[in-house]
Amino acid sequence: MDFFSAQDEARKNTKWLVLLFSLAVVSIILLLYLALIFFGSYSNTASMAQPVRWWQPELFLIIAGLTSAVILLGSLFKTLSLARGGGAAVAVSLDGRLVSRATGDPLEQRLLNVVDEMAIASGMPVPMVYLLDEENSINAFAAGADVHHAVIAVTRGCLEQLGRDELQGVVAHEFSHIFNGDMRINLRLIGILHGILLLALAGRMILRGGGHRRSRNAGGIVVVGLVLLVVGYAGLFFGRVIKAAISRQREFLADAAAVQFTRNPSGLAGALKKIGGYTDRRIAHPKAEEASHMFFDTGVAMHFNLLATHPPLEQRIKRLEPMFSAASLTVSVTEQTIGGEAVMGLAGGEAVRGSPDRVRWSVGNSDERHLDYAHELLAALPPKIVMDVHDPQRVRAVVYALLAGSLADPAAQLPTLLQEESKATIDMTISHLSALSVKNRAARLPLIELAIPAISEADGDHTSMLMHNCRVLVEADKRVTMFEFAVLSLLEHALVGEKRPNVPRRMSLGEIGKDCQVLFSLLAHAGHREADPARSAFRRAWERVRLEGPVELLECGQIPMEGFTKSLARLNTLKFAFKAKLIEAAVAAIGDDGKVTLNEAELLRAIGARLDCPIPPILPGSLA
């Protein structure tokens, strides 16, 4: 799977979705118009002898205007509400509960561990996790506007009936939807189809009101309500056609990507078999229909259905296990063995070799080596650090400790620098300093990524205070290291967000070139202290993007961090195909001397985060 092509393809699919939606609206208008003409003509006894006037322009314009207004306003309202709430809004609408990072439930902790491992292995921001407590079937979905605002939700049945390998397969499948850009399409589908379903709801309300009236117009009101109800449910048919056209093939891709990620087809196949073995696979919530295309499984029987958003389970399982027979499906409840399960972590901090092409292709294509790496990294962390980084009340101390390592005398300086913090938090920060020493340097950035969900659970005042104190700690020694820049970048991007820069629809090559010059200059200086090697690294990066003109390396003093951040924000508006070249160029710059150090790798991951391109860990010796 090519992450960059998939993201651009998702944007193209949005245009295809708009076209299908337009055709559906036109069809609904025509159906409603013809139905009203028909019922209007034959319900009026005075006109039964007259031929039916099928073309009535004024009536058509009224129906077209009112119908379009209802559908478009309904879709716009739903789309805007989803844009504000993102994937969390979908989970909450289905009665999902945010799984607290401080949970003491072993099953919930196992789920968080699996999600954390996947996130660190893929380089993706750790998504929020929701649990559908009232749903006993096995199911899951991913939702969100982009990789930085994704959530993963699972049902109670998924948590209780699946073993760890099966749960890992399901979560890997949902991560694939995040990387493929499917979430953006899925959210827009919900918004668009909501407007179509409003007609059925309006018809139902009219029928309920008209049925209690005894006036002469009661019959006409009932007819209008009946027509709206029938046409509204015809709209449901069109909605399912649109879902099927967009979603079905992407499920096969997500299954394949999950197997590539885990290298364990039996885990995903086992989950699919257990789903098929249940007689009742439905999501019981009344709003499940509008989100049916997002689920891991549709909840319908195992047979081919032209309107199904997912391929039949039998086909999906056979692709994973060619010898599978549907007759062998049975329900087997897995006994959960949670005790003694490792949590996660990264070992080593040595310099490694990195090929630009291979790093670029690793984006969205993590495999079992990355997963093992993440598992080992987190398993090597002190239990106290792991516990605190998941606790919304104590997570700030871990973040402060990661940034306070460069202070000359942390015990004396922290009370002065963190004036708004409590003494307990400051004492906790000091106690963490030794545990987060040089031997655990490779775990520093993953710990920041793990901290973000717990920080998000806290109230806005605590988040604002955290961001302020992080900037104070970074500025305390009057310089900004690559690691400190990476930390601020990740936290600001995830917690504060950034306004989309005011750039023209099409940036000129000159404008793109200036931003690339800033980016490549900083990367060249990050790994090369002398002028000649830095210029060589800069030229290597510039050749990768193939922009015009001889452009010179900027001196360090000419690259303010604020200007660098603005350049990244502008480059983030470009197509993913060009972002792929930027990632290749970045690796070429920092790897010009034949190796990539930990500091350079941290900077690279921060740049990837700013470009919405999650970069997996560069594994020692694996990308030479």
Side-chain angles (χ1 to χ4, degrees):
M1 180 194 74
D2 183 349
F3 168 82
F4 302 96
S5 298
Q7 293 292 323
D8 281 333
E9 185 65 27
R11 293 182 177 183
K12 293 177 183 176
N13 278 343
T14 301
K15 298 177 182 177
W16 175 238
L17 177 60
V18 170
L19 175 61
L20 290 175
F21 173 68
S22 301
L23 292 175
V25 172
V26 170
S27 301
I28 289 170
I29 290 172
L30 290 174
L31 280 174
L32 186 55
Y33 171 75
L34 293 174
L36 287 176
I37 290 288
F38 179 81
F39 282 109
S41 298
Y42 288 100
S43 62
N44 189 343
T45 55
S47 62
M48 289 184 65
Q50 303 294 325
V52 178
R53 289 179 55 215
W54 292 107
W55 177 237
Q56 299 181 32
E58 292 182 0
L59 179 62
F60 178 80
L61 289 175
I62 292 172
I63 291 174
L66 291 176
T67 304
S68 299
V70 169
I71 294 176
L72 292 175
L73 289 175
S75 296
L76 182 62
F77 173 80
K78 188 71 172 182
T79 299
L80 290 176
S81 65
L82 290 174
R84 286 193 299 269
V90 180
V92 171
S93 72
L94 296 170
D95 293 336
R97 168 178 62 85
L98 178 65
V99 179
S100 172
R101 286 273 151 181
T103 181
D105 186 302
L107 289 175
E108 293 179 6
Q109 187 58 58
R110 183 188 65 168
L111 171 64
L112 293 176
N113 290 345
V114 169
V115 171
D116 288 349
E117 288 177 5
M118 293 283 179
I120 288 180
S122 63
M124 199 190 87
V126 181
M128 307 293 278
V129 180
Y130 282 79
L131 182 63
L132 307 184
D133 282 302
E134 302 302 318
E135 303 292 346
N136 294 318
S137 60
I138 299 173
N139 228 316
F141 66 86
D146 53 53
V147 295
H148 293 281
H149 303 93
V151 306
I152 287 179
V154 304
T155 59
R156 171 61 64 180
C158 192
L159 211 59
E160 294 179 347
Q161 308 301 336
L162 299 183
R164 194 184 197 281
D165 286 350
E166 295 163 341
L167 181 63
Q168 190 179 68
V170 171
V171 171
H173 174 100
E174 300 307 329
F175 264 75
S176 176
H177 281 310
I178 297 173
F179 280 115
N180 283 339
D182 297 341
M183 295 188 309
R184 184 192 302 270
I185 296 293
N186 288 338
L187 278 184
R188 288 177 178 171
L189 266 174
I190 292 177
I192 282 175
L193 299 181
H194 179 77
I196 293 177
L197 291 177
L198 279 181
L199 292 176
L201 296 176
R204 188 181 302 169
M205 291 176 62
I206 290 173
L207 283 176
R208 286 176 179 173
H212 298 292
R213 296 188 179 185
R214 298 180 179 274
S215 66
R216 290 181 301 171
N217 296 325
I221 293 173
V222 169
V223 168
V224 171
L226 183 62
V227 169
L228 284 176
L229 187 65
V230 172
V231 172
Y233 280 102
L236 179 62
F237 167 81
F238 289 120
R240 287 179 173 169
V241 170
I242 293 173
K243 288 181 184 181
I246 296 292
S247 303
R248 185 182 295 152
Q249 191 60 29
R250 305 186 81 82
E251 293 302 316
F252 279 136
L253 293 176
D255 286 348
V259 172
Q260 174 185 303
F261 199 167
T262 63
R263 284 294 188 271
N264 182 14
S266 61
L268 182 60
L272 291 169
K273 289 175 185 176
K274 286 185 177 179
I275 291 172
Y278 280 92
T279 54
D280 188 0
R281 292 154 44 193
R282 295 170 299 171
I283 297 294
H285 198 280
K287 293 185 179 179
E289 167 60 35
E290 67 178 14
S292 63
H293 57 292
M294 303 176 68
F295 285 105
F296 178 70
D297 173 56
T298 57
V300 296
M302 184 185 288
H303 63 274
F304 187 74
N305 185 343
L306 288 174
L307 298 182
T309 57
H310 292 53
L313 275 181
E314 184 174 359
Q315 286 186 17
R316 294 173 69 183
I317 298 171
K318 279 190 173 181
R319 289 200 176 196
L320 302 171
E321 295 181 358
M323 302 303 292
F324 167 75
S325 169
S328 64
L329 281 180
T330 56
V331 179
S332 62
V333 178
T334 303
E335 269 197 42
Q336 308 301 344
T337 54
I338 307 301
E341 182 182 306
V343 188
M344 309 188 310
L346 255 223
E350 71 270 30
V352 299
R353 297 182 181 276
S355 155
D357 294 326
R358 291 192 180 186
V359 172
R360 170 248 197 270
W361 279 102
S362 73
V363 178
N365 284 296
S366 304
D367 55 32
E368 83 281 3
R369 297 171 303 157
H370 294 98
L371 206 52
D372 292 341
Y373 187 60
H375 189 85
E376 292 169 9
L377 179 142
L378 292 171
L381 287 173
K384 174 64 174 171
I385 296 293
V386 174
M387 182 172 64
D388 286 357
V389 83
H390 286 154
D391 191 304
Q393 304 305 317
R394 301 198 295 263
V395 65
R396 298 194 305 280
V398 178
V399 176
Y400 296 151
L402 287 167
L403 291 172
S406 60
L407 297 178
D409 188 357
Q413 291 175 270
L414 283 173
T416 304
L417 294 172
L418 305 180
Q419 295 181 11
E420 299 177 7
E421 274 293 0
S422 65
K423 184 178 183 300
T425 299
I426 294 173
D427 291 343
M428 201 181 307
T429 301
I430 295 171
S431 70
H432 285 328
L433 288 172
S434 59
L436 297 172
S437 59
V438 175
K439 65 179 181 180
N440 286 317
R441 284 182 66 233
R444 295 183 305 177
L445 212 58
L447 275 171
I448 293 295
E449 294 168 334
L450 289 177
I452 288 172
I455 296 169
S456 300
E457 284 188 47
D459 59 57
D461 290 340
H462 281 102
T463 300
S464 299
M465 180 174 62
L466 171 77
M467 291 305 306
H468 169 75
N469 287 335
C470 285
R471 295 186 186 101
V472 169
L473 290 172
V474 167
E475 295 167 1
D477 57 0
K478 307 301 182 185
R479 66 189 183 90
V480 181
T481 65
M482 293 297 103
F483 170 69
E484 289 170 341
F485 169 74
V487 170
L488 288 180
S489 290
L490 289 174
L491 292 177
E492 287 175 354
H493 203 60
L495 302 174
V496 180
E498 55 191 7
K499 293 182 179 179
R500 186 178 177 87
N502 187 19
V503 297
R505 186 173 180 83
R506 291 185 179 274
M507 290 176 65
S508 68
L509 289 177
E511 291 170 315
I512 295 172
K514 289 178 182 178
D515 291 324
C516 288
Q517 183 185 26
V518 172
L519 171 61
F520 300 155
S521 293
L522 182 66
L523 287 164
H525 287 300
H528 310 88
R529 294 189 177 183
E530 298 180 3
D532 287 341
R535 277 192 288 269
S536 173
F538 179 84
R539 285 195 297 270
R540 284 279 302 275
W542 192 262
E543 289 168 0
R544 281 274 171 175
V545 295
R546 298 178 182 176
L547 292 174
E548 298 176 357
V551 178
E552 293 299 320
L553 171 75
L554 297 174
E555 298 298 326
C556 278
Q558 298 176 280
I559 316 171
M561 280 299 172
E562 184 179 353
F564 177 62
T565 301
K566 289 181 178 178
S567 289
L568 285 177
R570 285 191 293 268
L571 291 173
N572 194 30
T573 63
L574 300 174
K575 290 185 177 181
F576 276 88
F578 187 79
K579 291 182 187 180
K581 293 183 180 180
L582 287 178
I583 297 299
E584 292 176 5
V587 178
I590 62 178
D592 186 57
D593 56 359
K595 63 183 185 296
V596 179
T597 65
L598 179 60
N599 284 337
E600 291 169 332
E602 289 174 338
L603 176 60
L604 181 65
R605 291 189 73 173
I607 290 170
R610 287 280 186 169
L611 296 175
D612 293 331
C613 302
I615 299 176
I618 300 177
L619 303 181
S622 65
L623 296 178

